Amino acid sequence: MTQFLPPNLLALFAPRDPIPYLPPLEKLPHEKHHNQPYCGIAPYIREFEDPRDAPPPTRAETREERMERKRREKIERRQQEVETELKMWDPHNDPNAQGDAFKTLFVARVNYDTTESKLRREFEVYGPIKRIHMVYSKRSGKPRGYAFIEYEHERDMHSAYKHADGKKIDGRRVLVDVERGRTVKGWRPRRLGGGLGGTRRGGADVNIRHSGRDDTSRYDERPGPSPLPHRDRDRDRERERRERSRERDKERERRRSRSRDRRRRSRSRDKEERRRSRERSKDKDRDRKRRSSRSRERARRERERKEELRSGGGGGDMAEPSEAGDAPPDDGPPGELGPDGPDGPEEKGRDRERERRRSHRSERERRRDRDRERDREHKRGERGGERGREEARGGAGGGGQDNGLEGLGGDGRDMYMESEGGDGYLAPENGYLMEAAPE
C-alpha cells in the first residue's frame, strides 16, 4: 500500500541519516595513567607536632548550653529590673490611681477594640459611674486589655463584682475583680511578678490555660489580709450557690435518666405483654380449631353410627326410640365390642352425650314440623272459610245457609273438628265466624 502514497507522504517515513562518530576529547578515568601512584603517610610522620608540645584542646559550647545560658542571663536581668521597680513602686502615690479604692472595679480580658463608651454602657446597668480609666501601652499607645471603673457608691461596685464576671463584651468574656493594689498589703502587679491566675507561672509544665479571680493558689505562701471580708463571704456564697445548682442539675439529670429507664422498661413490658397476648390468642385459636375438628369428627362418627343402625335394624323401628328421646339401643352386654369399639366408661359417656344432643335436636325438629303443619292448616282454613261464606251469600233461601264447610270438603271438616277440639285455630277469637248449620 505504501507504493501508492504520494512522494511528500513517503518522505515522512524515510529513515534519517546515521549519527556520525566523533572521538572522545579525553580519556576515561580508568584509562588515565597517573605519573605518581598513591602511597601511605608513614614518610610524613616526622613532620607532625609533638603531642607534648601541643596546647590543650578548647571545648566549644553546644547549642543547648548556649540557650540555657542566655535564659539564665535574661532571668537575672529581669530580677534586677523587678527589684529596682519594686523599690520605686508605690500604689498609694501613683498619679494614675485616683479615687476611692473600695469603689473601684478592675476589669480584665477586655477586647482591644472595646472603647470607653462601650464599657460605660455595659457597666452603668449596676449603678452610676464616676470615672473609667483604660490602661494603654507607653511604647505603642495601644490598649493593654484591662481598665479600672470607679462607681459613685460602694454597693454598686459590689453588685457589678457579683454579676458582671464572665460577661461577654465585643465577643470576649471579661474578668471582674476588686482593686487589690491599694487594698491588699504586699500586693504586686503582674509586671512585677504578682497578679492572680496561673497562666504565667513559668514553663508549660506549671502554667494553666484558664485562670480566674478565684485562683489564689499561687499566693498561698504570701498570706495577707483580705481587702473586703464581706466580699469574700459573698464570693463563698456565690460559689456554694453554683455548687448547689450543679448538684440540682445532676439530680435532675439522674431523675430524667431514671424516668427514661422506667419508660423503657414499661415499653418492654408492654411489648412482652402484647407478645404473650398474641401467643394466648394463637393458642386459643389452635384450641378452637382442635375442638371444631373434634366436633366434626364426632359428628362424622355419629352419622356413621346412624347409618349402621338404620342399615342393621330396618330403619324406622330403630330410629323411633331416638326420635322419641328414649335411651339409645343396647348394642350388647358390657365388655363386648360394639360398632364403635369396646364399651368402656369413656365410650358410654360419649354415647350418652350424643344421645342427649340427638334427643334435643329431634325435639326441636318435631316442634318445627308441628309449627309448619299448623301454619299450613291455618292457611287452608282461611281459604275454605272465605269460599263457604261467598256461597252462602249467593245461594237461595230454600237451600239454607252454609257454614262454609262444604267448600272445604271432607278433609276440611275433619280438620275443623280436630282444630275445634285441639289447637283452636278456627275459634272466633282467631277471626272466624262460628255459625250453626241450619236444620
Side-chain angles (χ1 to χ4, degrees), residues 57-253:
T58 58
R59 184 177 177 278
E61 186 181 25
T62 61
R63 180 174 179 271
E64 289 77 10
E65 293 174 350
R66 184 172 63 255
M67 293 177 64
E68 183 65 23
R69 177 178 56 82
K70 290 183 178 181
R71 190 181 68 83
R72 285 197 305 269
E73 292 176 355
K74 185 177 180 181
I75 291 174
E76 292 175 358
R77 288 196 305 269
R78 181 58 187 164
Q79 286 178 354
Q80 293 176 0
E81 293 177 0
V82 167
E83 290 176 359
T84 305
E85 291 182 359
L86 276 175
K87 293 177 182 179
M88 299 172 59
W89 185 68
D90 186 8
H92 297 282
N93 298 325
D94 188 3
N96 295 323
Q98 300 176 2
D100 189 359
F102 293 95
K103 297 179 182 179
T104 304
L105 192 71
F106 171 74
V107 183
R109 301 177 187 174
V110 182
N111 194 326
Y112 297 125
D113 299 330
T114 302
T115 60
E116 183 177 337
S117 59
K118 178 70 173 178
L119 278 179
R120 184 178 293 274
R121 286 196 304 271
E122 292 291 339
F123 284 90
E124 268 185 344
V125 296
Y126 306 105
I129 295 175
K130 184 177 181 180
R131 188 178 68 93
I132 294 179
H133 175 65
M134 296 189 69
V135 181
Y136 294 90
S137 176
K138 294 180 180 179
R139 296 178 183 177
S140 61
K142 295 180 180 179
R144 295 290 302 275
Y146 62 96
F148 295 91
I149 302 176
E150 183 183 357
Y151 281 91
E152 294 284 349
H153 307 286
E154 189 175 352
R155 63 176 181 273
D156 300 334
M157 190 273 293
H158 292 171
S159 178
Y161 173 81
K162 290 168 61 176
H163 301 99
D165 188 33
K167 189 174 185 179
K168 184 175 286 188
I169 301 175
D170 289 339
R172 292 192 64 179
R173 295 192 179 276
V174 297
L175 184 142
V176 175
D177 198 5
V178 297
E179 182 186 348
R180 297 177 181 268
R182 293 182 290 172
T183 56
V184 179
K185 186 178 179 180
W187 175 264
R188 290 182 295 176
R190 175 64 65 86
R191 60 185 175 86
L192 298 181
L196 288 179
T199 57
R200 298 184 187 179
R201 294 180 180 179
D205 54 340
V206 295
N207 285 347
I208 59 177
R209 298 192 62 181
H210 303 284
S211 64
R213 67 185 185 187
D214 297 335
D215 185 14
T216 58
S217 59
R218 185 177 183 183
Y219 306 97
D220 291 342
E221 67 274 6
R222 292 189 299 122
S226 176
L228 299 172
H230 55 279
R231 296 175 189 174
D232 293 341
R233 288 195 298 270
D234 294 340
R235 188 182 307 164
D236 295 339
R237 284 196 293 269
E238 183 68 23
R239 190 183 302 114
E240 292 176 359
R241 189 160 51 250
R242 285 197 296 267
E243 291 177 358
R244 286 195 297 270
S245 65
R246 282 196 293 268
E247 290 295 331
R248 285 195 295 270
D249 294 340
K250 290 181 181 178
E251 183 63 26
R252 193 179 301 111
E253 184 63 28

Side-chain angles (χ1 to χ4, degrees), residues 402-403 405-418:
D402 196 359
N403 57 357
L405 297 180
E406 284 84 355
L408 294 176
D411 297 335
R413 293 190 185 91
D414 297 338
M415 180 192 68
Y416 177 75
M417 295 302 293
E418 291 175 3

